[in-house]
Amino acid sequence: MAEAKLFELNNGTMQVKVSNFGCTITSLSVPDKDGKLADVVLGFDTLEPYQKGAAPYFGCIVGRVANRIKEGKFTLNGVEYSLPINKPPNSLHGGHKGFDKVIWEVAEYNQGDNPSITFKYHSHDGEEGYPGDVAFTATYTLTSKTTMRLDMEGVPENKPTPISLAQHTYWNLAGHDSGNILDHTIQIWANHITPVDENIVTTGEIMPVKNTPFDFTTENKIGSRIHEVGIGYDHNYVLDCGDEKLGLKHAAKLKDRASLRTLNLWTDAPGMQFYTANYVNGIVGKGGAVYNKHAAVCLETQGFPNAINQPNFPSIVVQPGEKYKHSMLFEFSAE
């Protein structure tokens, strides 16, 4: 049995610690306007709490399908599949033992100016109820002084299957131990969201954000209208208006106004879950910091939630021999 380990990517400016357990980012330190480093992701000091299930998906890659699948059921090519109902009444983030809870193999690990690490995982037919064997890889690379790239791939070997991975890091650009993110500003390049029912499952509708508290097409404080959306944001944004570079679309710009630390996120995925850590409650993390509600924000680029059951959403089904690809670029600055 392979063991869970921590690996470091360090280019002299930013430092990332990542584990082969769930491809989990446990810390990520970037400079502020004065060059002062802070760790801007929620997490634990050791791997044990992750392995014991204490983390609400801190820092990991989730799959085979991210987000909620309604009632844990879908039909593909006339066959009905049943998945574990690990978040009643739905299946969430791949089931009881999704990709965040398995040990990935380290396929490659390079240090130097552009350090990188590649993890691979073979998901077998029937794992957590999903059809077919699939070979997955995930590569984290520090592509410049303050930029990290994540490239995820999956190749089904023998059956068509839904695939939609997401990176579930909880970000707080003031520092993981600094309190809530309600004063952070965010801009999201999305004119629409996919609304949800009372069980947080998409209804199939695609709703304009104009004149609603979901509108972040211009930069705004996260806390400015959060009281109008129940316990907080936990919604999939349709990334339909961002400019492009390197084949990726601008998804979001998150900023802490005190330190001026800024994260610009680029992706080739069609959607992004904007989640304001609504269910985090008294988790004791790194250095004894206590994480509470709204302690961070997740920017999970993804296929649309429950797309496997919504024919009008972009398909997440991948055929044998085809390749699922999903890339994210995390550009940090202090502006």
Side-chain angles (χ1 to χ4, degrees):
M1 184 67 187
E3 66 180 305
K5 294 194 178 101
L6 268 178
F7 301 87
E8 187 178 321
L9 302 177
N10 191 335
N11 60 12
T13 304
M14 69 184 287
Q15 176 199 37
V16 182
K17 287 183 181 159
V18 58
S19 176
N20 57 333
F21 183 77
C23 298
T24 301
I25 295 170
T26 63
S27 83
L28 189 151
S29 297
V30 285
D32 70 0
K33 61 185 189 295
D34 302 317
K36 183 170 168 287
L37 283 178
D39 181 356
V40 296
V41 306
L42 270 52
F44 300 106
D45 287 317
T46 64
L47 290 176
E48 193 183 18
Y50 297 96
Q51 293 173 287
K52 286 189 166 165
Y57 302 101
F58 284 162
C60 57
I61 289 178
V62 295
R64 183 177 305 190
V65 174
N67 218 295
R68 289 164 179 81
I69 292 180
K70 186 175 183 172
E71 291 164 7
K73 284 187 171 41
F74 66 91
T75 300
L76 186 55
N77 296 348
V79 181
E80 186 177 284
Y81 294 93
S82 285
L83 312 173
I85 307 293
N86 60 315
K87 188 83 174 173
N90 306 304
S91 190
L92 175 67
H93 291 331
H96 292 306
K97 191 177 180 183
F99 294 176
D100 61 302
K101 295 180 181 70
V102 299
I103 291 182
W104 294 55
E105 184 185 329
V106 179
E108 212 174 304
Y109 181 32
N110 303 306
Q111 277 145 317
D113 288 344
N114 299 111
S116 69
I117 190 162
T118 298
F119 299 108
K120 65 179 187 182
Y121 179 65
H122 187 269
S123 179
H124 62 81
D125 182 25
E127 182 174 334
E128 294 295 306
Y130 288 94
D133 296 281
V134 188
F136 286 96
T137 61
T139 301
Y140 292 100
T141 309
L142 303 190
T143 53
S144 77
K145 283 300 183 196
T146 53
T147 305
M148 178 178 74
R149 184 177 172 117
L150 169 60
D151 295 293
M152 298 173 273
E153 293 187 354
V155 179
E157 293 170 3
N158 39 35
K159 290 182 187 174
T161 180
I163 300 176
S164 178
L165 305 184
Q167 215 298 338
H168 209 300
T169 292
Y170 284 70
W171 303 100
N172 185 324
L173 297 180
H176 74 96
D177 52 357
S178 67
N180 71 52
I181 44 73
L182 298 178
D183 280 339
H184 278 50
T185 61
I186 195 166
Q187 184 170 0
I188 303 174
W189 278 270
N191 288 316
H192 300 82
I193 61 163
T194 52
V196 291
D197 64 17
E198 67 281 3
N199 295 317
I200 325 183
V201 174
T202 51
T203 61
E205 191 189 346
I206 292 174
M207 179 186 99
V209 295
K210 200 172 165 65
N211 302 321
T212 76
F214 299 102
D215 188 350
F216 289 98
T217 50
T218 53
E219 198 171 342
N220 206 329
K221 262 169 66 167
I222 290 174
S224 63
R225 296 156 300 170
I226 198 167
H227 56 280
E228 296 173 43
V229 293
I231 61 169
Y233 294 97
D234 192 4
H235 296 78
N236 174 60
Y237 279 69
V238 179
L239 302 174
D240 54 10
C241 57
D243 45 327
E244 274 198 33
K245 73 166 177 194
L246 304 169
L248 306 178
K249 292 176 300 203
H250 208 170
K253 176 184 179 181
L254 180 68
K255 183 172 184 174
D256 167 46
R257 294 183 306 171
S259 67
L260 297 187
R261 275 191 206 91
T262 302
L263 166 57
N264 277 283
L265 175 61
W266 303 73
T267 187
D268 53 4
M272 182 188 79
Q273 194 80 4
F274 173 47
Y275 173 54
T276 48
N278 308 326
Y279 303 108
V280 174
N281 181 12
I283 296 174
V284 180
K286 288 177 277 194
V290 179
Y291 305 140
N292 284 310
K293 185 178 178 182
H294 308 323
V297 56
C298 300
L299 305 170
E300 309 158 52
T301 65
Q302 61 183 3
F304 292 3
N306 198 36
I308 191 67
N309 291 312
Q310 296 290 2
N312 61 316
F313 284 179
S315 174
I316 60 164
V317 175
V318 186
Q319 303 296 328
E322 286 184 358
K323 188 179 277 186
Y324 164 87
K325 289 175 104 148
H326 178 184
S327 293
M328 305 174 78
L329 194 67
F330 304 87
E331 275 186 326
F332 297 92
S333 55
E335 48 188 75

